Structures are given as C-alpha cells and as structure tokens.
C-alpha cells in the first residue's frame, strides 16, 4: 500500500508531465509565435540568397513592413533565428512596423520586441550589437546613423532619433547647423523606460539611464565615466561605480537571496570578480525591463 509521501510524489510527476504537454501546446498555439510567411519574405527580400536561405531573422506575428527596399546585413556566423523581430513577452501591444530604405546591420542574438517602430532612411544606417534587446514600443528613427552597442537593453517606450526634422538659424551669425547627427549608444548600456535620445547623443560603455523620461542630447564620453548612472532633463551624472547585472545566474541568485529575507547582498570583491558576476561566462543577453 502506497503511503502519503508516495502518492504526493506520483501526483507531482503526473503534474510535471501534464505541464510539459500543455506548455508545448500553448507555445504552438500562441498567437504571437513566428509568422513563417513573413519570415521567408523578409529574409529573401532583404538579404542575398546564400544568407536568406538560412532564415537568420525570425518575424513574429503582428509585424508589418512599410517598406523593405533597403538592405539587411548579418554580422557573425549566420544561423537560423539568430535575430527576432516582433517577439512578445509580457507587456507587448500594437503592431511592430519596419520601414527600411537604407541599411540595417544585425549582430547575433538581437531581439526587437512587439510594438516597436523602426525607420531607416535612404541614407540611413541602423546597427544593433550582439545580444542587444529592444523592448516593447520603442521608436527608432535613423536617417544618418543609429548604433546600439552589444548587450545593451533599451526599455519600453523609449525614443531614439538622429534627426530633429527641422533646422534652426542663428540670427547673429546666420549659421544653420545640420539637423542630423549620429547617435551611438555604448555597449552594455541599460536605457530606462520612456527615455528620449536625440541627435548627437554618444554614451560610454556600461552606463545606466535610470530615470524615466530622461533626455539625452550630447556626447557624454568626456564627462561621464563607465559604470555610471545618468538621468534627468537634460540628463546629468547621478552616480558612479554602478553597473547593471546582466548575467542570468547572478540575477537568479539575487532573487533567491531577497526571497528569503531583506538582508542586503554584498559581493566579496576580494574573492569574486565583478565582471564575472555582472556579465557571467556566457555573456548573456540584456533583459532590460
């Protein structure tokens, strides 16, 4: 006769088995899964045949193309599904729209979430680095150059534009500056939600823009060191010696630590390396929520 513990263990095994079955069904029936027709069209419309045939870019449902007359380049070893556009996770809404009249360069592991609006002008270039993650409803306008560094996360409803769309005349000198200037966002940046990044913005590597509705509009590389926090309107240096924890194993360890109490976590910097803790050996993607 089976005891109570045996029945409990058997029920847990059955539940785990059923969970795996239902999870598989849910993933296959999920309405925001990959749209294979659009995936094939995007790849063959945008890339040379030897690259397109490998389907390196997956297009998810609720994605539309205003124009694909421009080109797409893949940097790194080309493999199936190495870039995803229109993916939905938790707060996605609306239609993902791609209008590429110029050049988009994708590195391995790029994810563009649902509801983003991407425009690349005829002379424009958009380059997104390895394992960068563009969260939901981000607007990117590249008429000259927008470059996003590797492992950088852009949080939802952020606006990035290298174009002011109008000219301003200095009435004393008679000069009118170009309304376009490149935007270069460094590697391993974390751009907080609803940030506005205007033309001419350049950020160092390993910077956090922490305040929602912050405004960036200049080159910060000379005045802001790496591992700093920016924020405000206009953005200014708020704090130094701060960096984002990107490694999923470290994030999980921190979740476990604070789930069992409120004792502050402190990394032993004499015995443990901050780079390894924040980035990990796998160099995982930015989650940026």
């Amino acid at each position: 006769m089976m005891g109570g513990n045996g029945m409990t263990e058997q029920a847990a095994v059955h539940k785990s088995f059923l969970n795996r079955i239902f999870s598989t069904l849910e993933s296959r029936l999920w309405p925001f899964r990959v749209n294979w027709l659009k995936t094939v069209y995007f790849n063959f419309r945008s890339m040379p045949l030897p690259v397109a045939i490998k389907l390196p870019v997956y297009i998810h449902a609720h994605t539309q193309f205003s124009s694909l007359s421009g080109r797409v380049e893949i940097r790194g070893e080309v493999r199936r599904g190495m870039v995803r556009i229109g993916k939905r996770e938790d707060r996605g809404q609306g239609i993902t729209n791609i209008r590429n009249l110029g050049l988009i360069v994708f590195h391995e592991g790029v994810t563009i979430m649902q509801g983003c609006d991407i425009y690349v002008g005829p002379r424009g270039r958009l380059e997104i680095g390895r394992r960068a993650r563009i969260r939901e409803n981000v607007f990117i306008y590249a008429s000259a150059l927008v470059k996003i560094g590797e492992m950088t996360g852009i949080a939802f409803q952020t606006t990035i534009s290298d174009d002011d769309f109008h000219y301003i005349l200095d009435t004393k000198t008679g000069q009118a500056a170009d309304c376009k200037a490149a935007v270069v966002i460094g590697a391993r940046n974390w751009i907080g939600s609803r940030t506005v990044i205007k033309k001419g913005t350049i950020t160092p590597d390993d910077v956090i823009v922490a305040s929602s509705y912050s405004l960036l509009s200049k080159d910060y590389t000379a005045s802001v060191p790496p591992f700093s926090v920016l924020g405000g309107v206009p953005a200014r240096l708020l704090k130094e010696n701060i960096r984002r924890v990107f490694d999923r194993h470290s994030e999980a360890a921190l979740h476990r630590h604070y789930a069992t109490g409120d004792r502050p976590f402190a990394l032993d910097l004499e015995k443990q390396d901050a780079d390894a803790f924040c980035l990990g050996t796998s160099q995982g993607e930015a989650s940026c929520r």
Side-chain angles (χ1 to χ4, degrees):
M1 186 172 183
M2 186 176 293
N5 288 340
M7 289 293 290
T8 302
E9 291 175 2
Q10 187 177 30
V13 170
H14 288 162
K15 184 176 180 180
S16 176
F17 176 71
L18 289 173
N19 276 339
R20 289 198 298 271
I21 292 176
F22 285 119
S23 294
T24 301
L25 289 173
E26 288 164 356
S27 65
R28 293 184 181 278
L29 296 175
W30 180 241
F32 298 97
R33 63 189 183 278
V34 174
N35 183 310
W36 292 110
L37 180 60
K38 290 182 179 180
T39 292
V40 171
Y41 179 76
F42 179 91
N43 283 270
F44 282 87
R45 178 79 167 91
S46 305
M47 289 171 275
L49 180 61
V51 177
I53 201 169
K54 296 181 181 180
L55 299 183
V57 180
Y58 279 0
I59 304 297
H60 289 252
H62 294 258
T63 299
Q64 67 182 20
F65 312 126
S66 297
S67 176
L68 295 179
S69 61
R71 298 181 296 116
V72 171
E73 291 184 4
I74 303 293
R75 297 291 170 84
E77 183 181 355
V78 179
R79 58 180 178 81
R80 188 173 175 179
M82 62 190 291
V83 175
R84 292 179 177 261
I85 296 176
K87 185 178 180 182
R88 173 171 175 151
E89 282 188 358
D90 47 7
R91 58 166 72 101
Q93 58 183 341
I95 302 295
T96 306
N97 183 62
I98 306 295
R99 188 180 185 194
N100 179 22
L101 310 176
L103 172 63
I104 300 178
V105 178
F106 289 125
H107 294 250
E108 185 270 334
V110 170
T111 301
I112 297 174
M113 306 300 287
Q114 184 192 354
C116 292
D117 197 337
I118 310 295
Y119 171 84
V120 182
R123 297 183 179 179
R125 174 190 175 102
L126 170 63
E127 181 169 353
I128 306 180
R130 185 179 67 89
R131 294 194 178 278
R133 195 169 179 86
I134 314 300
R135 296 295 302 192
E136 296 85 353
N137 301 103
V138 169
F139 173 71
I140 299 177
Y141 191 98
S143 61
L145 171 65
V146 172
K147 186 174 182 179
I148 299 171
E150 68 172 13
M151 292 181 66
T152 284
I154 311 293
F156 72 101
Q157 296 181 358
T158 288
T159 296
I160 303 172
S161 177
D162 64 359
D163 195 334
D164 277 343
F165 309 106
H166 56 265
Y167 294 93
I168 296 175
L169 182 71
D170 187 318
T171 57
K172 288 187 176 181
T173 65
Q175 295 180 338
D178 194 348
C179 64
K180 305 177 185 64
V183 170
V184 180
I185 301 173
R188 298 173 300 280
N189 277 209
W190 173 27
I191 308 300
S193 60
R194 301 186 180 94
T195 296
V196 175
I197 298 177
K198 295 175 66 65
K199 71 168 189 177
T201 296
I202 304 176
T203 65
D205 295 343
D206 300 291
V207 161
I208 295 172
V209 179
S211 303
S212 293
Y213 302 103
S214 293
L215 173 65
L216 281 66
S217 59
K218 65 179 184 179
D219 184 349
Y220 296 89
T221 55
S223 59
V224 175
F227 312 123
S228 296
V229 178
L230 286 170
V233 181
R236 64 188 186 281
L237 178 64
L238 299 179
K239 199 169 185 179
E240 297 184 47
N241 303 312
I242 300 292
R243 65 188 302 180
R244 173 71 188 260
V245 177
F246 287 114
D247 182 67
R248 291 182 171 182
H249 298 292
S250 297
E251 276 196 333
L254 288 168
H255 284 312
R256 290 193 299 270
H257 175 85
Y258 285 107
T260 57
D262 56 3
R263 180 173 55 88
F265 174 88
L267 188 70
D268 188 345
L269 295 175
E270 293 184 358
K271 298 180 180 179
Q272 295 175 282
D273 182 63
D275 280 344
F277 182 81
C278 292
L279 300 180
T281 56
S282 62
Q283 300 280 297
E285 67 185 20
S287 57
C288 192
R289 296 181 183 275

